[in-house]
Amino acid sequence: MPSALQLPPGLDIGSLSRRRCLLALSAIFASTVTPAGAAEWKASDDPFTLGVASGDPSSDGFVIWTRLAPKPTQGGGMPAVPVSVEWTIASDEGHTRILRRGRATADPRLGHSVHVEVDGLDPDRWYWYRFTAGGAASPTGRTRTCPAPGAPSARLRFAFASCQHYEHGLFGAYRHLAQDDLDLVLHLGDYIYEGSSAGMVPRRHETKEEPVNLEQYRNRYACYKSDAHLREAHRNFPWVVTWDDHEVENDYAANLSQNRDDPAWFLQRRAAAYQAYYEHMPLRRASLPRGPDLLLYRRVAFGDLATFHVLDNRQYRSDQPCGEGRRGGGNMVPDCTDRFDPAATLWGGNQEAWLDDGLVASRSHWNVLAQSLMMAQLTNRNAAGRPVHWTDGWDGYAAPRARFLSRVAATKASNPLTIGGDIHSFWASELKADFDDPKSPVVMPEFVGTSISSRGIPYESTLKALPDNPHIRYFDSRQRGYARCEISRARLQAVFRGLADAADEQSSMRTLASFVVESGRPNLNRE
Ligand code: FE
Ligand code: CA
């Protein structure tokens, strides 16, 4: 177990003043959490090469993260002993007014990563944080708390990003995102890619071997975090993250791999990948990996303005349908009845019930489903003109999708919408319980963001599919970038931002399209 702070029995926070409580907590850190010998470690090289991050904000705190790694892509380069790390929270960028400080342990069993859950702060404020270890200081990160539950909040701005193949391009999109005016960043998966590319690419992974064990996945995350624009985007905002497939392997489903590996072996690979994910993301203790399992679905509430229902589309899903005689993972298939198998699941029964309960209970004005995939049906045609569907996405799980979309109205959740990624292109759609029935009412809007750097899907041929998909109101796969949303009580505006030249790290960025959703009406309005 990592340096989880457990209050000793008998320490009743409610009976103590806040200051005495802080002193008591510091004493606990100093006496029991700091490992013997930890103070002897002295940094000879910068241990903060991976930067800092924060995430999962609440109204009184957030997680702050770093990982000590003086040799980032070579196993980290730390001695195999616990190391003490000091953290501070300040109310100013210059770090002169320090509000909180404490010690955490960078544990070698968790790759010397540090996840501190800070609480007791004021709502709706920006804060600055930093770490020191072995005489070295980290960059100063900036993060914020959410408005208090029930507090009327006027505005929320967030960006969502996904699909950042390191070899496909430089992260010019993050250069812009890092300078944007945002409260929050959502990452919707494919933070790393396990596979390397053939041919000419602008840069290479640390190795062309696919990671399968913990040290290899750690090195892969370190390779991605060697990008200064990505580190800067983390440093400036709290992030809320979920994954898609490439954090483990292309198109995996629960314990089933694309290569049809032995499921027991694949679960060991998944355990290594999930642990490395935890070690590199600003996640709370609730997401500590347990063997091959990691609890990632959760909610983040921004006052009463918005709740993010963060979903896990990979860990609990049933096998992609209609794959007999083919490779594992997704396939483009003419219709086969297994796509409509009511026993199929994408979220798993527990997560599906959790989402339903959360939508029923939500008092938020907007309810955002943050998940990795496009939910809208996308009907393509094969050479013979027959309709075909891609089975790794929601089209492979048409029954659970219809089950969910038929249920949304009954939950009475206010202003539901979904955001997604995965297919390296921008989409805006109006989701229906029955996409083939023109009279089926619009249930909620969907915005899918393009990739940060991963190559787009074919443009011309996909464009030809749009007449078969009248619920899709916008598509463009030619741009790399991200999406930005601004929410008020009256409306949501979603803006698609694209780089003029993705090959140029210094490229300008422009707005490709802008949509408005009025509160109380799920339809898309193009601006
Ligand atoms: Fe991707
Ligand atoms: Ca994907």
Side-chain angles (χ1 to χ4, degrees), residues 339-340 371 373-379 389 393-406 408 418 427-446 466-473 524:
R339 279 208 313 126
F340 306 97
Q371 48 96 42
L373 301 170
M374 180 159 93
M375 201 177 276
Q377 174 172 289
L378 176 57
T379 302
H389 295 92
W394 274 102
D395 280 337
Y397 300 80
R401 176 176 62 192
R403 184 164 68 229
F404 170 69
L405 289 171
S406 310
V408 172
T418 181
W427 303 76
S429 304
E430 294 177 332
L431 302 187
K432 302 168 156 205
D434 183 352
F435 289 100
D436 297 319
D437 177 4
K439 292 197 289 294
S440 187
V442 176
V443 173
M444 59 182 186
E446 170 176 66
L466 295 191
D468 280 328
N469 298 275
H471 52 278
I472 293 174
R473 302 285 301 282
L524 293 172

Side-chain angles (χ1 to χ4, degrees), residues 240-314:
V240 175
V241 299
T242 189
W243 54 35
D244 195 36
D245 51 344
H246 289 286
E247 283 85 352
V248 181
E249 187 218 31
N250 183 51
D251 282 5
Y252 82 97
N255 63 348
L256 302 171
S257 81
Q258 180 181 33
N259 301 322
R260 302 199 187 280
D261 298 303
D262 169 21
W265 179 86
F266 183 71
L267 276 183
Q268 289 179 29
R269 181 179 185 182
R270 191 179 96 173
Y274 282 10
Q275 180 172 337
Y277 184 78
Y278 174 81
E279 289 174 355
H280 291 85
M281 295 294 148
L283 289 167
R284 291 182 181 269
R285 275 192 294 279
S287 294
L288 256 177
R290 293 170 201 281
D293 303 325
L294 188 157
L295 179 63
L296 197 57
Y297 63 84
R298 63 203 190 279
R299 275 181 263 277
V300 173
F302 193 88
D304 62 359
L305 189 58
T307 291
F308 294 91
H309 306 262
V310 184
L311 294 155
D312 175 348
N313 283 351
R314 289 288 162 186

Side-chain angles (χ1 to χ4, degrees), residues 362-523:
S362 173
R363 294 292 167 265
S364 281
H365 200 66
W366 298 87
N367 284 281
V368 184
L369 274 67
Q371 48 96 42
S372 61
L373 301 170
M374 180 159 93
M375 201 177 276
Q377 174 172 289
L378 176 57
T379 302
N380 277 285
R381 289 188 184 271
N382 64 13
R386 289 179 65 196
V388 290
H389 295 92
W390 175 244
T391 58
D392 184 62
W394 274 102
D395 280 337
Y397 300 80
R401 176 176 62 192
R403 184 164 68 229
F404 170 69
L405 289 171
S406 310
R407 236 322 264 177
V408 172
T411 68
K412 300 252 186 334
S414 171
N415 294 315
L417 68 137
T418 181
I419 57 175
D422 173 55
I423 54 170
H424 310 174
S425 37
F426 285 117
W427 303 76
S429 304
E430 294 177 332
L431 302 187
K432 302 168 156 205
D434 183 352
F435 289 100
D436 297 319
D437 177 4
K439 292 197 289 294
S440 187
V442 176
V443 173
M444 59 182 186
E446 170 176 66
F447 299 101
V448 173
T450 196
S451 52
I452 288 288
S453 59
S454 307
R455 289 183 196 122
I457 63 169
Y459 178 66
E460 304 290 344
S461 57
T462 308
L463 212 53
K464 290 196 188 108
L466 295 191
D468 280 328
N469 298 275
H471 52 278
I472 293 174
R473 302 285 301 282
Y474 183 85
F475 157 73
D476 198 333
S477 62
R478 295 169 298 178
Q479 318 280 335
R480 312 282 67 80
Y482 63 91
R484 182 175 66 214
C485 292
E486 179 166 337
I487 288 179
S488 69
R489 298 194 79 76
R491 59 179 224 160
L492 173 144
Q493 182 193 37
V495 171
F496 293 157
R497 302 277 293 160
L499 291 169
D501 178 3
D504 175 9
E505 202 172 0
Q506 299 302 320
S507 166
S508 62
M509 185 170 249
R510 66 190 178 91
T511 293
L512 306 170
S514 174
F515 293 88
V516 163
V517 179
E518 305 286 349
S519 175
R521 290 187 67 242
N523 307 73

Side-chain angles (χ1 to χ4, degrees), residues 110-389:
L110 287 171
H112 292 96
S113 62
V114 178
H115 302 73
V116 180
E117 290 187 53
V118 184
D119 60 14
L121 300 173
D122 289 333
D124 207 9
R125 291 268 166 86
W126 287 94
Y127 294 92
W128 285 261
Y129 63 94
R130 71 165 62 137
F131 301 92
T132 54
S138 76
T140 300
R142 186 186 75 142
T143 191
R144 63 163 298 153
T145 51
C146 296
S153 38
R155 193 193 85 157
L156 163 64
R157 292 188 103 190
F158 65 94
F160 58 97
S162 60
C163 293
Q164 52 197 45
H165 201 303
Y166 184 83
E167 296 189 334
H168 289 186
L170 306 175
F171 290 170
Y174 275 132
R175 191 174 68 82
H176 288 273
L177 185 149
Q179 294 160 12
D180 215 332
D181 175 16
L182 304 169
D183 298 298
L184 206 59
V185 173
L186 281 286
H187 197 286
L188 303 180
D190 292 355
Y191 190 100
I192 60 163
Y193 281 75
E194 84 288 10
S196 295
S197 298
M200 290 282 289
V201 291
R203 57 184 180 180
R204 283 285 173 200
H205 284 145
E206 80 292 348
T207 169
K208 62 182 189 308
E209 305 300 324
E210 278 198 17
V212 293
N213 65 36
L214 179 57
E215 176 157 321
Q216 291 167 331
Y217 278 109
R218 284 173 176 160
N219 290 343
R220 184 57 51 89
Y221 279 95
C223 169
Y224 279 66
K225 283 180 179 283
S226 71
D227 187 284
H229 302 306
L230 173 60
R231 290 200 307 277
E232 189 69 0
H234 275 293
R235 194 180 71 79
N236 279 344
F237 313 106
W239 284 39
V240 175
V241 299
T242 189
W243 54 35
D244 195 36
D245 51 344
H246 289 286
E247 283 85 352
V248 181
E249 187 218 31
N250 183 51
D251 282 5
Y252 82 97
N255 63 348
L256 302 171
S257 81
Q258 180 181 33
N259 301 322
R260 302 199 187 280
D261 298 303
D262 169 21
W265 179 86
F266 183 71
L267 276 183
Q268 289 179 29
R269 181 179 185 182
R270 191 179 96 173
Y274 282 10
Q275 180 172 337
Y277 184 78
Y278 174 81
E279 289 174 355
H280 291 85
M281 295 294 148
L283 289 167
R284 291 182 181 269
R285 275 192 294 279
S287 294
L288 256 177
R290 293 170 201 281
D293 303 325
L294 188 157
L295 179 63
L296 197 57
Y297 63 84
R298 63 203 190 279
R299 275 181 263 277
V300 173
F302 193 88
D304 62 359
L305 189 58
T307 291
F308 294 91
H309 306 262
V310 184
L311 294 155
D312 175 348
N313 283 351
R314 289 288 162 186
Q315 192 171 183
Y316 315 106
R317 64 157 72 188
S318 49
D319 194 11
Q320 290 91 351
C322 317
E324 300 75 30
R326 303 166 186 260
R327 62 167 195 151
N331 289 287
M332 198 62 102
V333 297
D335 259 340
C336 83
T337 52
D338 285 357
R339 279 208 313 126
F340 306 97
D341 178 2
T345 181
L346 194 109
W347 288 327
N350 290 343
Q351 185 175 203
E352 196 172 327
W354 169 90
L355 176 60
D356 198 279
D357 292 347
L359 290 174
V360 168
S362 173
R363 294 292 167 265
S364 281
H365 200 66
W366 298 87
N367 284 281
V368 184
L369 274 67
Q371 48 96 42
S372 61
L373 301 170
M374 180 159 93
M375 201 177 276
Q377 174 172 289
L378 176 57
T379 302
N380 277 285
R381 289 188 184 271
N382 64 13
R386 289 179 65 196
V388 290
H389 295 92

